[in-house]
Amino acid sequence: MSETGPTGSAEPVATHLERRNKWAFAVGTTGRDMVYTLVSLYLVFFLSDVLKPSREEFLWATSLILIARLFDAVADIVMGAVVDNTRSRWGHFKPWIAVGVVASAIFTVVMFTDLGLSGAPFVLAFAFIYLLWSLSWTANDIPYWALMPALTLDQKERERFGSLAKIFATIGLFAVVVAVIPVTKALAPLVGETGAWMWFAVAVVVIMLASQSVTLFGVKEPNIVSDQERTSLRELGKVVFGNDQLLWTAIAMVLFMTGYLTTTTFGTYYFKYVYGDESMYSPFGAVLVASQLLGYALFPTLSKRFSRRSLYTFATVLILAGYVVFFFGLGQQL
């Protein structure tokens, strides 16, 4: 079955479907990464410098964030099995994507709202809300990224899907990095400092819901996974913990994300308390946007000339060199 394209030539319908799916899926990453950036990079800063709880309350709250993130590793595995065994008229993925994005949107706004609590009630409420956010985010995140390989069986096409999605995700991520400080400062005289952060969270959440709606209504899930054998939780656990290569890869990813989140989370503190001008974090973020988008643009060309191992090694060396420069600059400031 074919249809006539703009030039009058017959073009397979599948080509139109893949193009539509690729863009509709990629757009959905924009708001998601805006919310994830706001929570992962700025929630601790919001607690310490905006809500300003007591030292004990802050230590308990941040410790519970760490525990919840470790719990995410188990939750991801469970959610993967749940999605794999889901059967509905809307497919395997969309029901969980929809439920997860709505729930995480609600809990995001609540986390950046001053509830007027203190002491044990503050810690318990924060822990409960953050745990619910974490679970709802997992309910959206796992099926969302599992949807991508289900859209096409062609490996090269999957890489194109992934590259475009990363571009939109990077735009969303660094839009928050660039905007959060100047926007909240501009809103503070109108609605107060805590109100400024709450309304910024509301704006980011609205963008997430809009971009995820593009994915939910724009992506058509091909029927290429319906007949595959389902994997139980027990079988999935055996696969993860019984495969030493997969386990070491997972450990490497955990270590990488730990370093990445630690660096980015403390970035605002560095520019505020060490550099002395927190507004400089926005142009710093703009440079990161440009460099990361440049990396995505160069990767397809470089991957044709160099092996993945060589590229990975070179990228790791660049990261380590960047840390050396960062800490040298930190030492000069101190």
Side-chain angles (χ1 to χ4, degrees), residues 304-317:
K304 294 178 182 178
R305 301 186 59 182
F306 303 99
S307 67
R308 295 293 179 93
R309 182 171 183 174
S310 298
L311 289 175
Y312 180 81
T313 302
F314 179 67
T316 302
V317 171

Side-chain angles (χ1 to χ4, degrees), residues 15 17 29 35 55 61 80 92 100 103 107 114 125 127 146 189-190 192 204 217-219 226 235 242 294 307 312-313:
T15 302
L17 177 60
T29 64
V35 168
R55 178 177 297 180
H92 298 274
F107 296 127
D114 184 2
L190 303 175
V204 169
F217 294 105
V219 169
S226 58
E235 292 170 336
L294 179 62
S307 67
Y312 180 81
T313 302

